[in-house]
Amino acid sequence: CFTWSEVDREVNRTARAFQELGIQQGDVVALLMDNRPEFLFAVTALNRLRAAAALINTNISGTALVHAIKIAEPVAVLAGQEHHEKVEAVVPELEPLSKDRVFIQGDGGNNEPGGFRSFDEQLANQGYENLHEVSKPHIDDLFGYIYTSGTTGLPKAAVVLNKRILSPGAM
């Protein structure tokens, strides 16, 4: 359980970690992580930076995974430790994305990045303060990409804008 204040602090900390990695407005980060708090912190932090998350289906691997990552043209990949082996198997095929732009995050801080960069280490020294140096997200900004299942071929990315995410909440 998290209070709204705790979520806000973790999102700020995650956004600062992304900023330190050079993630900025308009960038895309491929996110391959199970349903856990760090997933929500990462998606919201990217949105706070006016960057976008490519929400990669965690049930795909091999050629489908390579395709899903590459079509989003991400500047980085953040994978949960639970998908480490799956990512490791496809890294050579992700060019022009280099291995040093792939980060592994543990579940609750337990992380063995195994040859990749640790996102937990990136988070370790970040502050919780509000981001003042970033303009506020706009309703027409790209929220991210959500993928089809790929049952009739390779997964396809659906473009999702902030207004599509916010509309159900307004109702």
Side-chain angles (χ1 to χ4, degrees):
C1 292
F2 293 89
T3 66
W4 286 110
S5 177
E6 290 168 334
V7 169
D8 186 52
R9 289 170 47 89
E10 287 300 323
V11 168
N12 283 339
R13 187 169 80 117
T14 305
R16 290 187 179 285
F18 280 130
Q19 271 187 324
E20 195 170 273
L21 294 172
I23 307 299
Q24 56 190 344
Q25 181 178 342
D27 286 343
V28 175
V29 174
L31 184 59
L32 180 67
M33 189 179 293
D34 285 352
N35 186 11
R36 54 185 168 110
E38 294 87 355
F39 174 83
L40 294 174
F41 301 153
V43 171
T44 308
L46 289 166
N47 188 259
R48 195 165 281 180
L49 292 172
R50 299 185 72 185
L55 306 177
I56 307 297
N57 182 338
T58 58
N59 294 314
I60 62 174
S61 59
T63 303
L65 179 58
V66 170
H67 172 77
I69 293 172
K70 287 182 85 167
I71 63 171
E73 299 179 350
V75 298
V77 174
L78 175 58
Q81 187 171 349
E82 62 275 16
H83 299 288
H84 175 271
E85 291 176 9
K86 194 184 299 187
V87 172
E88 188 170 39
V90 301
V91 161
E93 300 174 58
L94 295 180
E95 288 185 9
L97 193 65
S98 63
K99 186 175 182 176
D100 73 327
R101 297 301 292 169
V102 177
F103 299 85
I104 301 294
Q105 186 171 19
D107 189 356
N110 299 320
N111 189 8
E112 294 293 328
F116 293 106
R117 293 175 67 187
S118 169
F119 196 72
D120 295 299
E121 287 179 16
Q122 192 69 31
L123 283 168
N125 298 318
Q126 302 302 324
Y128 296 99
E129 304 81 24
N130 286 329
L131 301 170
H132 298 293
E133 58 275 10
V134 177
S135 61
K136 291 184 180 181
H138 188 271
I139 195 143
D140 290 322
D141 283 348
L142 175 64
F143 170 81
Y145 300 103
I146 298 176
Y147 292 79
T148 64
S149 64
T151 54
T152 60
L154 293 173
K156 292 155 192 69
V159 174
V160 180
L161 302 179
N162 281 340
K163 63 182 162 190
R164 186 158 186 195
I165 296 296
L166 294 172
S167 295
M171 290 181 188

